[in-house]
Amino acid sequence: MIRVGVRCRTAGARCPGCGSWSGRVHGSYLRFPADLPMAGRRVVLRLRVRRFTCEDVSCGRRTFVEQVAGLTRRYSQRTERMRSVLAEVGLALAGRAGARLADVFGARISRNTVLRLVDALPEPQPQVPRVVGVDEYAMRKGRVYGTVLVDVETRRPIDLLSDREAGTVAAWLAERPGIEVVCRDRAPFFAEGARIGAPTAVQVADRFHLWRNLGEAAERCVSRHRPCLRATFVDAVPEKAPAPAESGSPWPTGHRFADRTRAKHATVHALLTAGHSRRSIQRQLGMTYRTVQRLADAARAEDLFQGQWQNRPTKLDDFKPYLHERWAEGCTNAWALWEESKTHGYTGGYGAVRAYLQPFRTAPTAPAARPQSPRTVTSWILTHPGTLPESERLKLKAVLAGCPELDALTGHVRAFGKMLTQLQGDQLPQWIKAVRADDLPSLHTFVNGLERDLVAVTAGLTLP
């Protein structure tokens, strides 16, 4: 630690209560404010300060302590430049990270102190924006909403209002006469507030909300034509569950011992084809040489099957054709098939029937096609054709081919997207006229809203 002895040489000081000058010393004491570290060492000032007696009898203060301008403040444990540095660290990194960084350059401080220093900074006074964005935010979604105001040019929030009433927005705008453009959604209370509070400002309907509202209208339109989606994507669910053909192998596919033997046989023969010796295969697979030799000498995996089912008749053999026939007819309940087989003379148990039918259930089946949801089709319509994947483009083409209304909807959405991205607001009246000519009620509702706020919408599709 480095200690620096400091004392003030002025003849007196001014009382912070009444402002009168006093040179009458009441006493003195030592303060030890921490300063910025030097060469990796902590620096502490050994500051002797004087307490003066206020000579104004009407002042409520009897005594006061002198403060060194730019160095100390009342009750502070750090110098002013130390406070400013730590406050900047807190602004950049907040509490925990700021405290860790301060400890690195020799200023031990807790995270709560960092936050207190940040909180003690004066509130910044933002400049009056030229272009202000107005939108709502939810404090409790569906119940309590407020208003957020953003400087559109710097993209920084300016203020939060406790509600979204037109009068509150108008009062806020009236206090800032320098606002030239108000960018908002098409909510009537924001439009009214902008008209009252900033009558000379240009009102602009922002393009984000325009495109979002168009997407909602398009999804409602697609939902009205849900039968067309079902007609395009017909369910391909088979009426009867197919029964696999009889296998010539004594051990069926799906039996764990049979499948394991087949896998080992295929692996060994693959390594032999690749040029590995039998000894090498033995080391790689961790098998005995005799096992590798048996697998390598067998031309087919079925030649290796020996055991409980090899050429041994069972009680179920005579009833297997009947089980295949009933399975093909759609009866897949093993218990019901066992009961039916008993009426035809089968005397075996239920477990044998269930084990024989188990491979039938695990046979792979083709997934059935499902009709696309309205939201999925809407996302295809709202996506630029150049960025739509080929598979989704073909599916959308099939949907539009089966429904003229959705085909017309897609054309209108893409025309509006072109106006929005290329700032062709002068073409909006022709677009509205074209939409009116088609039987699209959901889109007509969207158009009605545009016409009620036509000036702001045209500005939103024209101004940068």
Side-chain angles (χ1 to χ4, degrees):
M1 180 186 296
I2 299 177
R3 290 183 181 271
V4 181
V6 184
R7 68 185 180 92
C8 188
R9 293 183 176 273
T10 57
R14 291 192 178 277
C15 175
C18 61
S20 62
W21 180 267
S22 175
R24 183 180 173 185
V25 179
H26 181 273
S28 64
Y29 64 94
L30 292 175
R31 294 181 63 182
F32 299 93
D35 199 10
L36 288 175
M38 180 182 300
R41 295 186 180 187
R42 295 176 57 198
V43 176
V44 176
L45 304 184
R46 186 177 181 275
L47 174 63
R48 179 164 299 273
V49 294
R50 295 167 293 178
R51 181 180 292 275
F52 291 93
T53 301
C54 183
E55 299 180 357
D56 188 351
V57 295
S58 62
C59 179
R61 292 177 177 269
R62 296 302 182 190
T63 61
F64 62 91
V65 177
E66 63 177 342
Q67 302 294 338
V68 182
L71 184 65
T72 64
R73 68 171 63 184
R74 196 178 185 190
Y75 302 133
S76 177
Q77 299 178 2
R78 299 166 188 85
T79 62
E80 287 298 291
R81 62 176 184 174
M82 180 73 157
R83 287 176 59 93
S84 62
V85 169
L86 293 177
E88 291 296 330
V89 170
L91 286 174
L93 300 176
R96 284 187 173 87
R100 288 196 296 267
L101 180 62
D103 187 52
V104 169
F105 62 75
R108 294 181 180 177
I109 189 171
S110 69
R111 60 185 179 88
N112 293 326
T113 303
V114 175
L115 296 179
R116 282 196 296 270
L117 292 175
V118 172
D119 188 56
L121 293 174
E123 292 290 337
Q125 297 298 325
Q127 298 181 351
V128 177
R130 190 183 68 87
V131 183
V132 64
V134 184
D135 200 0
E136 62 188 9
Y137 72 95
M139 291 177 282
R140 188 178 180 188
K141 192 171 183 180
R143 295 178 180 270
V144 183
Y145 287 89
T147 303
V148 57
L149 299 114
V150 180
D151 188 339
V152 176
E153 293 179 319
T154 62
R155 300 186 179 185
R156 295 179 64 88
I158 305 171
D159 204 351
L160 296 176
L161 307 182
S162 59
D163 56 46
R164 52 178 181 178
E165 300 296 329
T168 307
V169 176
W172 191 91
L173 294 173
E175 296 174 356
R176 296 160 179 81
I179 295 176
E180 301 176 6
V181 179
V182 177
C183 187
R184 57 172 177 80
D185 66 3
R186 294 182 296 115
F189 39 83
F190 287 153
E192 182 69 12
R195 185 185 64 80
I196 297 174
T200 61
V202 178
Q203 295 193 36
V204 178
D206 66 85
R207 292 188 283 272
F208 166 79
H209 284 95
L210 288 176
W211 186 251
R212 179 180 179 181
N213 297 150
L214 176 62
E216 294 169 349
E219 185 173 352
R220 291 193 298 269
C221 186
V222 174
S223 298
R224 291 171 63 93
H225 293 82
R226 192 185 295 266
C228 299
L229 305 183
R230 295 196 186 101
T232 305
F233 296 91
V234 180
D235 269 344
V237 178
E239 297 182 358
K240 300 178 182 179
E246 289 277 6
S247 174
S249 174
W251 284 16
T253 302
H255 191 281
R256 62 182 185 277
F257 299 114
D259 290 346
R260 187 170 63 187
T261 302
R262 293 188 182 99
K264 290 181 179 179
H265 181 270
T267 303
V268 169
H269 279 264
L271 293 174
L272 288 173
T273 305
H276 294 270
S277 65
R278 296 187 180 187
R279 290 292 183 185
S280 174
I281 296 173
Q282 172 195 350
R283 289 190 297 269
Q284 293 182 47
L285 301 182
M287 300 178 179
T288 64
Y289 182 79
R290 182 177 179 82
T291 302
V292 175
Q293 188 177 27
R294 287 182 62 251
L295 293 170
D297 292 341
R300 299 182 309 126
E302 280 69 16
D303 297 340
L304 299 168
F305 293 157
Q306 298 174 3
Q308 55 178 339
W309 293 346
Q310 184 71 26
N311 300 324
R312 290 179 59 185
T314 64
K315 296 179 181 180
L316 195 60
D317 290 344
D318 296 336
F319 300 92
K320 289 180 180 180
Y322 174 75
L323 294 177
H324 278 261
E325 180 182 354
R326 291 290 291 128
W327 186 278
E329 291 175 357
C331 182
T332 59
N333 190 310
W335 187 273
L337 292 175
W338 174 57
E339 293 285 354
E340 293 178 9
S341 300
K342 288 198 300 182
T343 60
H344 290 77
Y346 176 62
T347 59
Y350 162 70
V353 176
R354 182 184 61 183
Y356 181 74
L357 295 177
Q358 184 62 32
F360 293 17
R361 303 184 188 281
T362 58
T365 57
R370 292 282 187 268
Q372 300 294 341
S373 66
R375 178 163 294 184
T376 300
V377 176
T378 303
S379 68
W380 296 344
I381 295 175
L382 294 174
T383 304
H384 192 280
T387 60
L388 197 64
E390 182 67 18
S391 59
E392 296 179 356
R393 187 182 64 82
L394 294 176
K395 293 178 182 178
L396 177 61
K397 184 177 180 180
V399 171
L400 302 183
C403 185
E405 290 81 4
L406 295 184
D407 191 18
L409 170 68
T410 304
H412 294 316
V413 169
R414 290 177 177 175
F416 191 89
K418 183 178 179 181
M419 277 194 305
L420 186 143
T421 55
Q422 299 183 9
L423 301 182
Q424 299 174 349
D426 56 327
Q427 300 181 8
L428 183 59
Q430 292 84 353
W431 184 83
I432 293 177
K433 184 177 180 180
V435 171
R436 293 286 189 194
D438 291 326
D439 184 19
L440 299 170
S442 300
L443 214 56
H444 292 174
T445 304
F446 173 70
V447 167
N448 293 337
L450 296 185
E451 290 180 332
R452 286 193 295 268
D453 202 11
L454 188 60
V455 176
V457 173
T458 304
L461 297 178
T462 306
L463 298 180

